[in-house]
Amino acid sequence: MASSYPPPFEGTGEVKEGFICPLCHKDLQSFYQLQDHYEEEHSGDDRHVRGQLKSLVQKAKKAKDKLLKRDGDDRADTGSYESFYYGGVDPYMWEPQELGATRNHQDYFKKHRAARIDHYVIEVNKLLIRLEKLTSFDRTNSDVAKIRAIEKSVVPWVSDSDVPFCPDCGNKFNIRNRRHHCRLCGSIMCRKCMDFVPLPLAYKLTSGTRESLCIPGSPGQSQAPPSGAGASGMGSRRGSLTSLSSVTSMLEEKDDEKIRCCHHCMDTLLKRQLKLEERDHMPDIVKLYERLRMCMDKVDEKAPEYIKVAESLNAGETTYNLDTAGGLRLEVTKYYELIDALSKRILTLGMKDDPAPTPKSLHLQKMIRYTATLFVQEKLLGLMSLPTKDKYEALKEKRKQEQEKKLQQERLAAQESMRKRQESEKNRSVATTNGVVPPALKPPRMTKAGGWLPSADSKKTHSELKDPLLQQIDNIQSFLRQAREAQRTDEVAMLEENLRQLQDEYDQQQTSLAIALSQKLAQEENLQQGEIQRLEARERSEWEQRAPAADSRQPSSIWECSLDLGEPVAGYVEEDKTGEVTPKFERSPLSLRAFPALAGQEESPPRLRSLGGHVTPPSSEGPNSSSLNPFEEEDSTPTEEDPSNPFFEDIQEEHKEVSNGKKEYNPFDDEEDNGGQEEPAVTSLGNPFEEESSETSNPFTEASGDSPGVSTNPFEGDEDAGALADIDMIEEELLLQQIDNIRAYIFDAKINGRLDEVELLSANLRELQHTLQEQKKTH
Amino acid sequence: MNVTLAVKQYVTRMIEDSGPGMKVLLMDKDTTSIVSMVYTQSEILQKEVYLLERIDSQNRDNMKHLKAICYLRPTKENVESLIQELRRPKYSVYFIYFSNVISKSEIKALAEADEQEVVAEIQEFYGDFIAVNPHLFSLNLQGVARGRSWDPTMLSRSTQGLTSVLLALKKCPVIRYQLSSDMAKRLAESVKLIITKEYELFDFRKTEVPPLLLILDRSDDAITPLLNQWTYQAMVHELLGLNNNRIDLSRVPGISKDLREVVLSADNDDFYANNLYLNFGEIGTNIKNLMEDFQKKKPKGQQRLESISDMKAFVDSYPQFKKMSGAVSKHVTVVGELSRLVAERQLMEVSEVEQELACQNDHSSAQQKVRRLLRLPGVCELDAVRLVMLYALRYERHSNSVLPAMMEELAKRGVSEKYRKMVHSVVEYGGKRVRGSDLVTATDAVAITKQFLKGLKGVENVYTQHQPLLQDTLDQLVKGKLRDALFPYLGASSLRDRPQDVLVFVVGGATYEEALCVYNLNRSVPGVRIVLGGTAVHSTKSFLEEVTMTTGNISDRAGEGRNLSRR
């Protein structure tokens, strides 16, 4: 795997060369050494290759894994056990497991249910139709006999003589225990077993069916009375009760405002009503919960994005903009606040209601809140802070210097290895006819565990590619090819996903790079323009004085180096030059390098150097600044690219220290002063950790009544959990909390010296305090 | 062949099938244990399951905004409860999963109860067993036998459990059983019957070498469950009692409130996962390392939090720190309690004699040592009895047996009648008369040589020299040398090659010592995957209960006759 491994694209034109193992980043002096190293060390662990792929897009995750793994290894060293396998299973020895057998009874179930439902639906509809008929005429103004006639026409009544006993309770019917007919099904029950459908309920039930059901020939089905009608006409017909139209009705009480029916029919109707009610009812908790989940999804989406950006920024890379990162951070924290607020609302939901929520729903609310707390804890802590502007500049500078050092080292190493290689080539050519044979002879690329290796052809291209991303893309493409050949569709999918992500990232880098470059060039151009004009004037005068010299060595001036691109030919093609330098944003360092060569200048190396120095740093230092000279610091060793490298942390740390010192604002210098400020920060930070660690590993207990969350519940200490009496209080609580939060953020921002953010937050705070005041007033 | 994963995947699938939204998980008593072994509360909360309810609990409220996932064993009571539930549904929609095969008629009854059309899924997910470790499962059944034959309900439950393991792992096995045990044979036949009946379910992709189900009987090796254990998991179970991965520490003197009951699950406790099978000495070292790690990470008061970066580092490591502190206090407590018990009960001495009884063949020295220990006041009742039991099993037919004298010693010590009776029960349960293979003394030349070589090499660790009989059986099995005469195949099919996927089921309960031996086999023999299961996972105490329940009935009935024959 002879792959050069250049540092991430910075536009500096630096190329990390040499023989770096793609897996462990170890610099091996020659191609053969690297190959041997690779075969020895990495032939078995293909999963690392896969991990490596992922690492490019999921640096944070990998860093974490690494940390954990290191922990494990440490212990393995000190402890005496040889295994880090999971409880009895070597996961690499036992193949991945598919879901066990299942059997679906859906069809059979549905078939039987359908039959049942059909029956049920017919029953219900029949009842509804009858009910509608019974309620569709004006009951209040008809006399009993007429009502009875209509009722009898709706459903045939069972004849009295057929039913000597009440079919439900078995009591004998006699003069005191009278027969009653259900108006909906016509059956006979005793008085105790009877039920009544109140008219309002009847109207409500039938209102839905009135449109959907079409009953031909039913009287008055089109002119349904409004739902209020039954109630309004209630009292008016009392008197008619006295008329004795039949023996059965004689002792019956007024039943004009309700319809007599048996409890079987009543049951069916009530069920139906319940269903109707539930259909359009959506409890508050569901609405809140849906919003909560939405926020969680957003966080899941945004947080990794932010972490990636923040890491890159903290490493001093120029891929992302600090401001957009700050925006992203604010956005993510907003979501956290929202989650916190929503879950708190859910927790206190219904506390103020008269019938207090049932214990189960309280438990549900608690559990939702608990889950949200867990979520915030887990995700919020992964959010690293951003460097301040100053710090960021410093970081960038530092990184650049390192890379130059590295570059230099690698160049040397490369030359060295080149020599060695040539030597060994000579030696080898005696033994083998072809020096390139060994890599070709390598055993099949697909190793037993099924990973892919970059194909041989990519090796050659690697050395030419400038960007690790490009190189990675190339690698993945070759993996893809191999995977396709091996027809491993799942891996192909994974690789394609990786490839897409990498390409996106590369595009992004390219754009930001181009922008940076163009700005730089624009500056340069301005500078040159001025200079050129000056020189032009001078030269013209010289021109006039002296005969033109073909080899124009310019006198050394401060500007010379930076301008020598233009200078030598300045006399002839001024316009041309500027034209050539400026418009090409994406001009690769190579072409810049090529330019002086074309010009045929002797002092091209220093010029190249100065150019390289000039293009990249945003610093206001003069282009001649010798600190950028890559040749000066040959003794330092190259560092690795991995941002999880402790080295980078060191840098960060250093810079933190530096900037802290610079700012003269050390929160711990004067303790009394900051005591107040510190507190909100501490509480807000400390809050999410109130979890009992034993809780997390506690499988639910068996007792159904005694829920596990209760005893070690994180909310028990929450003083506001039960205290809230009304919604205003909640709002106020939320406001206060928000204010606390913002204070904490301000503190945080101050510590990190992000003054712009402090301003923004202070404004926010004022606004909130204002709202709070108003709230209090209205209250 | 990972039983934990199999159950976990089932549960995960259930939860995922129901889509987003708030959920309640409705379970019965058994499935609650099953699920709690593979999912922690916080894990299940993250999957939007906020309530866990029992189907038979009466105080569940109407919560129409919840989706219900029902995971139930297909028992009559459960089906009845479910029918009632569907008639008056409390939740908006029901996803029903049965842990085993359910009859068509019951499905029909459920369908007819579902008038409100609330059932969205009805499936069978075969997680009908307790997954203790990835390679160890249990059915949590106590007292499966009545005399020498099955309790009928236990047989059907065991059959269900065993077939569900097969289905969850997608194995349609060739069955072998221990010839000397009638119960093993009955179970084998019963499993075979189910496989034949549900042939559609067992229609898995054929592997080159078919999987093997080996059914053994506990009574063939009554010694293993009687020994004190020195590996972490086994020791915890023996001394503190592991019940569905939980230990009750409430009897520990001076225990803090939140450590009354602790969970030991290899799934989310790295220290436990790594130390499960290590012996007590190694655990001592590791727990020391853990403490040191912890102290390194622990912020040392204010002095370390001087700068912002310190504070940040602390906050960043806080969850890990918090988790670690939980793990540290838990394991320190557990190990501390273990060592307290070891000292109090003089377990080192007891165990040494136990091991000598189990592994060596020197009657006079053994009986002297046992009698010496019996006179020691520190040795507790249970240990005294188990020494005598081991002696009785080991030198059952020895011409100079001093068992009666020992029994007298026990009586003198004031050991209860109940325990003294148990000595005879154990002999009856696992004595020579019952054993198919010879447990202690080697019979064939190879075994004798092996034993001789072992003697030459000396013993590495006095306390762990005993190897369970299962080790030997499985060793022969994976080498393809297990004798057909002792472990016949059920039916015509037999295995030509060495087996690859092996499921061992011990009627009457397995032990953690055997789990360790299976674990070691899995790691040392490439290409072989063994899963161990039992009607229970026994400690000495639970094993003695099992023995009492098994022999109890007989002794009552046939007590007279046996006593006569003894005399």
Side-chain angles (χ1 to χ4, degrees):
Chain A
M1 297 291 94
S3 57
S4 65
Y5 197 79
F9 209 121
E10 288 261 61
T12 52
E14 296 157 339
V15 180
K16 184 176 177 180
E17 279 171 353
F19 298 92
I20 315 291
C21 171
L23 294 188
C24 62
H25 295 245
K26 198 167 159 190
D27 193 348
L28 295 144
Q29 296 302 312
S30 75
F31 170 78
Y32 295 106
Q33 274 177 331
L34 175 61
Q35 197 182 342
D36 290 345
H37 161 80
Y38 193 88
E39 276 164 1
E40 274 166 31
E41 307 275 338
H42 303 301
S43 52
D45 48 7
D46 295 280
R47 60 207 160 86
H48 282 299
V49 179
R50 213 175 288 169
Q52 174 78 2
L53 293 182
K54 276 187 187 155
S55 81
L56 255 145
V57 283
Q58 287 182 307
K59 283 171 181 164
K61 212 173 172 187
K62 196 194 161 194
K64 206 168 131 202
D65 287 350
K66 244 188 174 175
L67 204 76
L68 290 174
K69 207 182 270 174
R70 203 186 299 149
D71 272 3
D73 290 346
D74 282 347
R75 224 177 285 147
D77 290 339
T78 47
S80 55
Y81 57 86
E82 347 78 299
S83 106
F84 48 91
Y85 298 137
Y86 250 42
V89 169
D90 176 352
Y92 299 105
M93 198 167 78
W94 294 24
E95 79 267 24
Q97 196 168 314
E98 48 186 308
L99 185 74
T102 63
R103 180 156 61 181
N104 202 329
H105 289 292
Q106 199 82 0
D107 294 341
Y108 185 76
F109 184 87
K110 275 194 177 144
K111 201 177 84 193
H112 282 273
R113 181 173 68 182
R116 179 73 192 177
I117 294 281
D118 284 350
H119 175 71
Y120 174 75
V121 167
I122 289 168
E123 283 298 302
V124 173
N125 283 348
K126 212 155 63 185
L127 289 184
L128 288 178
I129 290 165
R130 286 176 193 161
L131 193 63
E132 210 227 309
K133 283 182 190 167
L134 288 170
T135 52
S136 59
F137 63 95
D138 186 4
R139 290 178 80 92
T140 48
N141 296 326
S142 322
D143 64 45
V144 175
K146 195 180 165 206
I147 292 178
R148 181 61 33 90
I150 294 175
E151 280 177 352
K152 280 191 171 176
S153 78
V154 169
V155 58
W157 286 16
V158 175
S159 100
D160 286 4
S161 55
D162 290 349
V163 189
F165 303 100
C166 168
D168 253 39
C169 60
N171 285 338
K172 197 175 186 340
F173 290 122
N174 52 34
I175 194 78
R176 301 200 57 193
N177 188 20
R178 305 209 59 85
R179 294 177 175 82
H180 294 278
H181 280 98
C182 171
R183 306 298 194 260
L184 290 170
C185 63
S187 64
I188 291 177
M189 299 267 159
C190 75
R191 194 184 156 76
K192 276 180 272 172
C193 300
M194 270 291 158
D195 257 319
F196 293 98
V197 185
L199 280 183
L201 174 63
Y203 289 132
K204 201 171 147 201
L205 281 168
T206 49
S207 65
T209 47
R210 215 156 277 142
E211 298 90 39
S212 57
L213 292 174
C214 188
I215 311 110
S218 76
Q221 58 121 265
S222 51
Q223 18 133 347
S227 358
S232 66
M234 244 189 247
S236 59
R237 212 185 61 94
R238 284 245 159 112
S240 65
L241 250 184
T242 45
S243 65
L244 310 170
S245 56
S246 75
V247 191
T248 35
S249 73
M250 189 172 65
L251 291 169
E252 265 177 30
E253 290 164 46
K254 42 149 185 153
D255 56 349
D256 48 339
E257 62 247 44
K258 41 198 178 183
I259 295 162
R260 196 172 280 273
C261 76
C262 68
H263 65 86
H264 300 290
C265 297
M266 189 66 187
D267 247 21
T268 321
L269 289 176
L270 281 179
K271 266 190 200 168
R272 161 101 190 152
Q273 192 222 352
L274 213 60
K275 218 173 171 181
L276 279 177
E277 269 176 12
E278 276 155 15
R279 194 182 296 158
D280 358 281
H281 181 60
M282 189 194 207
D284 288 345
I285 187 168
V286 177
K287 288 177 210 154
L288 287 173
Y289 182 76
E290 273 170 8
R291 280 173 65 201
L292 182 72
R293 290 309 297 191
M294 211 183 68
C295 290
M296 286 180 168
D297 289 348
K298 282 274 192 234
V299 167
D300 279 338
E301 181 189 316
K302 296 276 180 190
E305 198 182 316
Y306 169 74
I307 287 169
K308 194 175 78 181
V309 171
E311 263 190 8
S312 147
L313 286 173
N314 275 322
E317 290 174 2
T318 49
T319 326
Y320 302 100
N321 188 331
L322 192 58
D323 292 339
T324 51
L328 202 57
R329 187 190 165 79
L330 266 183
E331 194 183 347
V332 174
T333 36
K334 277 267 162 56
Y335 278 122
Y336 282 129
E337 277 161 36
L338 213 55
I339 288 174
D340 195 51
L342 281 171
S343 62
K344 224 164 203 175
R345 273 275 282 290
I346 290 178
L347 180 67
T348 53
L349 205 66
M351 294 290 192
K352 58 193 186 295
D353 291 354
D354 194 22
T358 54
K360 287 291 166 193
S361 40
L362 281 182
H363 183 59
L364 172 73
Q365 290 169 2
K366 261 188 199 167
M367 290 329 264
I368 292 174
R369 162 75 177 156
Y370 176 55
T371 312
T373 326
L374 277 184
F375 179 85
V376 170
Q377 269 173 39
E378 193 181 309
K379 305 272 170 158
L380 187 64
L381 292 170
L383 281 187
M384 61 195 69
S385 56
L386 290 170
T388 61
K389 281 222 166 81
D390 301 346
K391 223 194 278 176
Y392 181 49
E393 291 303 321
L395 279 173
K396 278 201 279 195
E397 196 62 32
K398 183 99 181 169
R399 180 183 167 82
K400 214 174 62 56
Q401 285 176 15
E402 264 155 30
Q403 279 174 351
E404 301 216 352
K405 277 186 232 159
K406 231 183 294 165
L407 168 71
Q408 196 46 42
Q409 270 269 310
E410 276 144 24
R411 285 231 176 98
L412 284 179
Q415 282 165 5
E416 174 101 353
S417 61
M418 200 63 157
R419 263 203 310 281
K420 274 191 196 159
R421 190 178 167 184
Q422 277 165 354
E423 279 167 27
S424 65
E425 206 103 302
K426 273 177 213 156
N427 295 344
R428 274 196 182 214
S429 57
V430 187
T432 59
T433 45
N434 190 353
V436 202
V437 168
L441 278 180
K442 235 174 128 188
R445 229 157 237 109
M446 203 186 109
T447 44
K448 54 193 166 171
W452 317 107
L453 301 174
S455 61
D457 53 334
S458 60
K459 278 181 210 160
K460 286 169 214 145
T461 48
H462 281 168
S463 50
E464 274 118 56
L465 289 168
K466 296 288 149 317
D467 192 298
L469 275 175
L470 278 181
Q471 197 183 320
Q472 202 68 29
I473 289 172
D474 229 57
N475 275 350
I476 294 186
Q477 275 165 344
S478 84
F479 296 153
L480 249 176
R481 255 198 314 282
Q482 292 166 41
R484 282 217 185 90
E485 277 158 25
Q487 300 193 325
R488 297 206 168 184
T489 44
D490 48 338
E491 290 193 23
V492 169
M494 191 196 78
L495 287 165
E496 272 169 350
E497 171 68 17
N498 267 335
L499 187 60
R500 207 174 42 71
Q501 278 173 322
L502 278 172
Q503 275 165 344
D504 284 354
E505 200 164 329
Y506 181 67
D507 287 349
Q508 244 176 343
Q509 278 196 8
Q510 286 294 313
T511 351
S512 58
L513 174 78
I515 292 165
L517 206 64
S518 71
Q519 283 169 350
K520 213 72 334 165
L521 283 173
Q523 275 179 17
E524 213 172 345
E525 190 194 350
N526 284 341
L527 218 97
Q528 281 184 353
Q529 286 285 11
E531 206 52 32
I532 282 161
Q533 273 161 17
R534 204 164 62 88
L535 280 170
E536 206 179 330
R538 199 176 69 187
E539 255 174 66
R540 243 177 223 149
S541 61
E542 273 178 305
W543 189 268
E544 279 155 24
Q545 284 166 16
R546 284 198 271 151
D551 186 10
S552 59
R553 291 252 172 125
Q554 293 301 320
S556 64
S557 81
I558 291 215
W559 307 104
E560 189 190 31
C561 269
S562 69
L563 290 172
D564 56 3
L565 222 183
E567 268 179 285
V569 269
Y572 320 103
V573 276
E574 290 134 8
E575 278 84 13
D576 258 319
K577 275 175 284 149
T578 49
E580 266 195 79
V581 178
T582 42
K584 311 241 156 76
F585 300 148
E586 291 191 86
R587 174 202 293 279
S588 83
L590 262 182
S591 66
L592 279 174
R593 212 178 298 171
F595 192 71
L598 275 173
Q601 290 283 329
E602 285 115 322
E603 71 266 274
S604 70
R607 202 175 353 150
L608 170 63
R609 190 202 317 158
S610 73
L611 265 173
H614 198 156
V615 175
T616 30
S619 65
S620 51
E621 279 177 293
N624 286 346
S625 151
S626 59
S627 68
L628 293 173
N629 188 336
F631 294 95
E632 278 184 8
E633 285 163 317
E634 294 170 358
D635 50 339
S636 69
T637 50
T639 50
E640 292 179 0
E641 297 305 310
D642 194 343
S644 63
N645 190 326
F647 192 24
F648 277 88
E649 280 163 30
D650 285 350
I651 300 163
Q652 273 171 254
E653 216 75 306
E654 233 169 86
H655 279 264
K656 237 180 255 168
E657 231 70 342
V658 169
S659 57
N660 264 353
K662 261 189 220 158
K663 262 182 286 145
E664 290 182 321
Y665 179 80
N666 189 339
F668 289 91
D669 276 348
D670 38 359
E671 273 164 29
E672 311 100 279
D673 202 336
N674 289 303
Q677 279 175 315
E678 197 178 356
E679 217 170 72
V682 168
T683 48
S684 75
L685 284 173
N687 212 3
F689 315 132
E690 279 176 16
E691 179 209 4
E692 306 289 331
S693 59
S694 62
E695 170 80 2
T696 45
S697 58
N698 181 15
F700 25 81
T701 51
E702 283 193 29
S704 60
D706 184 46
S707 46
V710 178
S711 55
T712 46
N713 201 302
F715 321 116
E716 286 199 332
D718 242 349
E719 70 282 353
D720 49 11
L724 295 178
D726 56 30
I727 195 88
D728 280 350
M729 279 293 276
I730 297 173
E731 297 294 7
E732 211 173 296
E733 193 70 27
L734 285 178
L735 269 172
L736 279 172
Q737 201 195 331
Q738 194 79 358
I739 288 171
D740 270 3
N741 282 346
I742 290 195
R743 281 208 183 114
Y745 293 140
I746 292 178
F747 174 71
D748 190 49
K750 267 186 191 158
I751 285 168
N752 288 310
R754 290 195 301 269
L755 291 175
D756 46 334
E757 210 167 284
V758 171
E759 265 171 43
L760 195 88
L761 286 165
S762 318
N764 226 329
L765 181 64
R766 275 195 296 279
E767 205 173 304
L768 272 173
Q769 276 166 338
H770 184 66
T771 344
L772 184 68
Q773 292 295 328
E774 291 209 330
Q775 181 101 26
K776 273 186 180 151
K777 260 181 241 161
T778 54
H779 197 57
Chain B
M1 291 283 281
N2 177 341
V3 287
T4 312
L5 186 63
V7 179
K8 189 158 188 162
Q9 280 178 335
Y10 274 140
V11 178
T12 312
R13 170 62 68 88
M14 282 177 218
I15 297 171
E16 278 165 4
D17 274 356
S18 62
M22 289 178 273
K23 298 170 191 110
V24 53
L25 188 51
L26 270 180
M27 294 172 290
D28 60 38
K29 189 167 165 292
D30 295 313
T31 51
T32 310
S33 318
I34 292 169
V35 175
S36 76
M37 290 297 274
V38 298
Y39 256 103
T40 64
Q41 199 194 11
S42 52
E43 265 180 303
I44 212 157
L45 277 175
Q46 274 165 15
K47 302 211 169 245
E48 298 186 83
V49 177
Y50 296 111
L51 291 180
L52 304 160
E53 299 277 11
R54 288 275 288 274
I55 184 87
D56 48 359
S57 106
Q58 293 306 311
N59 59 349
R60 281 183 288 116
D61 302 314
N62 253 0
M63 294 180 114
K64 291 286 185 179
H65 46 285
L66 293 187
K67 293 175 175 179
I69 302 164
C70 309
Y71 189 41
L72 304 167
R73 297 203 60 241
T75 61
K76 255 202 190 96
E77 302 80 56
N78 283 339
V79 172
E80 190 45 48
S81 307
L82 198 54
I83 286 176
Q84 293 308 324
E85 179 79 24
L86 292 179
R87 287 239 165 86
R88 298 208 173 273
K90 295 192 171 66
Y91 311 104
S92 64
V93 68
Y94 286 74
F95 297 82
I96 300 171
Y97 302 89
F98 286 105
S99 66
N100 221 314
V101 177
I102 184 167
S103 70
K104 290 261 180 202
S105 61
E106 281 169 318
I107 298 265
K108 195 175 162 216
L110 285 168
E112 283 166 0
D114 185 24
E115 285 175 344
Q116 317 236 354
E117 289 183 273
V118 286
V119 174
E121 278 291 342
I122 182 157
Q123 295 200 40
E124 288 169 10
F125 275 17
Y126 306 97
D128 206 5
F129 51 92
I130 313 274
V132 183
N133 286 54
H135 69 287
L136 174 66
F137 68 93
S138 160
L139 300 178
N140 280 7
L141 297 178
Q142 188 72 274
V144 291
R146 295 282 168 266
R148 297 259 153 247
S149 54
W150 279 97
D151 176 327
T153 55
M154 293 295 181
L155 176 61
S156 80
R157 176 67 187 95
S158 300
T159 311
Q160 282 180 332
L162 202 45
T163 47
S164 87
V165 173
L166 292 172
L167 286 167
L169 298 175
K170 294 197 167 178
K171 305 286 172 204
C172 180
V174 172
I175 304 174
R176 290 180 84 168
Y177 61 95
Q178 183 182 315
L179 186 67
S180 61
S181 163
D182 187 46
M183 285 171 77
K185 190 180 181 199
R186 282 287 304 281
L187 181 61
E189 285 165 349
S190 180
V191 169
K192 184 83 188 170
L193 194 72
I194 297 287
I195 294 178
T196 326
K197 198 171 133 203
E198 304 286 348
Y199 63 94
E200 287 165 315
L201 272 178
F202 283 89
D203 185 23
F204 303 125
R205 196 159 32 90
K206 290 273 183 295
T207 45
E208 223 171 280
V209 184
L212 180 82
L213 170 63
L214 177 64
I215 298 177
L216 304 174
D217 194 321
R218 177 79 272 159
S219 61
D220 211 30
D221 176 9
I223 283 182
T224 305
L226 286 176
L227 296 172
N228 266 304
Q229 297 298 317
W230 294 99
T231 55
Y232 198 23
Q233 189 182 31
M235 203 173 168
V236 165
H237 186 48
E238 181 66 42
L239 296 180
L240 302 170
L242 261 179
N243 181 22
N244 291 343
N245 278 350
R246 254 164 297 159
I247 32 180
D248 180 14
L249 290 177
S250 55
R251 281 161 304 156
V252 176
I255 192 81
S256 73
K257 194 183 155 202
D258 46 340
L259 283 174
R260 286 266 163 80
E261 189 186 73
V262 299
V263 178
L264 289 183
S265 160
D267 251 0
N268 42 32
D269 181 341
D270 288 347
F271 182 84
Y272 186 60
N274 288 326
N275 291 278
L276 207 51
Y277 299 116
L278 297 188
N279 71 41
F280 195 53
E282 291 165 314
I283 290 160
T285 326
N286 286 347
I287 205 130
K288 202 174 129 259
N289 291 334
L290 183 71
M291 281 289 271
E292 274 165 12
D293 267 15
F294 175 64
Q295 247 143 23
K296 246 183 270 164
K297 283 183 184 163
K298 191 179 169 184
K300 291 173 192 84
Q302 276 305 106
Q303 77 180 71
R304 253 204 67 187
L305 289 179
E306 271 168 349
S307 66
I308 294 297
S309 54
D310 278 350
M311 215 164 98
K312 279 225 169 83
F314 172 73
V315 168
D316 284 347
S317 63
Y318 197 92
Q320 216 192 340
F321 164 77
K322 194 77 180 156
K323 201 176 165 192
M324 205 170 159
S325 92
V328 168
S329 59
K330 180 168 76 181
H331 288 291
V332 167
T333 312
V334 171
V335 174
E337 175 62 10
L338 289 180
S339 53
R340 188 185 72 83
L341 287 173
V342 167
E344 186 186 287
R345 289 167 55 175
Q346 296 171 317
L347 286 181
M348 303 291 258
E349 279 176 77
V350 172
S351 177
E352 196 179 333
V353 178
E354 281 172 13
Q355 296 283 334
E356 192 184 325
L357 276 171
C359 308
Q360 275 150 42
N361 207 356
D362 184 349
H363 175 255
S364 64
S365 123
Q367 62 106 347
Q368 271 168 23
K369 282 181 179 166
V370 172
R371 295 177 82 163
R372 191 181 69 82
L373 280 179
L374 286 182
R375 278 180 219 117
L376 278 184
V379 176
C380 80
E381 196 178 53
L382 179 68
D383 291 324
V385 173
R386 89 164 98 207
L387 281 169
V388 177
M389 283 171 178
L390 283 168
Y391 176 83
L393 281 173
R394 182 68 176 76
Y395 299 107
E396 195 184 350
R397 306 257 163 102
H398 198 275
S399 46
N400 300 326
S401 171
V402 290
L403 186 60
M406 282 186 184
M407 293 303 286
E408 262 169 51
E409 295 263 9
L410 283 182
K412 244 190 272 168
R413 273 183 67 95
V415 171
S416 66
E417 167 95 27
K418 187 185 110 195
Y419 272 134
R420 276 180 288 140
K421 265 190 180 168
M422 273 185 199
V423 176
H424 295 296
S425 304
V426 166
V427 175
E428 191 186 322
Y429 180 86
K432 269 214 173 71
R433 200 163 48 90
V434 179
R435 292 202 291 267
S437 45
D438 208 320
L439 181 53
V440 210
T441 40
T443 40
D444 57 274
V446 184
I448 289 170
T449 334
K450 227 193 244 168
Q451 210 166 41
F452 176 69
L453 283 175
K454 213 172 165 188
L456 277 187
K457 260 193 282 175
V459 192
E460 279 172 26
N461 187 341
V462 216
Y463 305 108
T464 56
Q465 34 178 331
H466 175 256
Q467 290 284 0
L469 178 68
L470 185 72
Q471 165 92 37
D472 227 34
T473 314
L474 289 180
D475 232 21
Q476 291 172 13
L477 181 72
V478 295
K479 285 179 184 148
K481 286 181 186 162
L482 193 64
R483 282 161 61 193
D484 287 8
L486 292 177
F487 298 93
Y489 289 93
L490 189 72
S493 54
S494 70
L495 216 55
R496 296 246 163 268
D497 313 282
R498 295 171 177 194
Q500 286 177 350
D501 295 346
V502 182
L503 199 76
V504 188
F505 188 81
V506 185
V507 175
T511 66
Y512 282 114
E513 191 186 347
E514 285 159 343
L516 169 64
C517 124
V518 168
Y519 169 75
N520 286 331
L521 269 174
N522 275 330
R523 291 193 53 201
S524 58
V525 188
V528 174
R529 292 165 297 189
I530 307 172
V531 169
L532 175 69
T535 46
V537 180
H538 279 313
S539 65
T540 302
K541 249 184 229 159
S542 66
F543 172 66
L544 289 181
E545 270 166 46
E546 176 96 28
V547 168
T548 319
M549 286 168 90
T550 302
T551 51
N553 291 6
I554 295 191
S555 344
D556 293 346
R557 250 185 291 121
E560 199 81 354
R562 203 188 58 236
N563 283 344
L564 282 176
S565 70
R566 277 259 155 99
R567 278 169 214 152

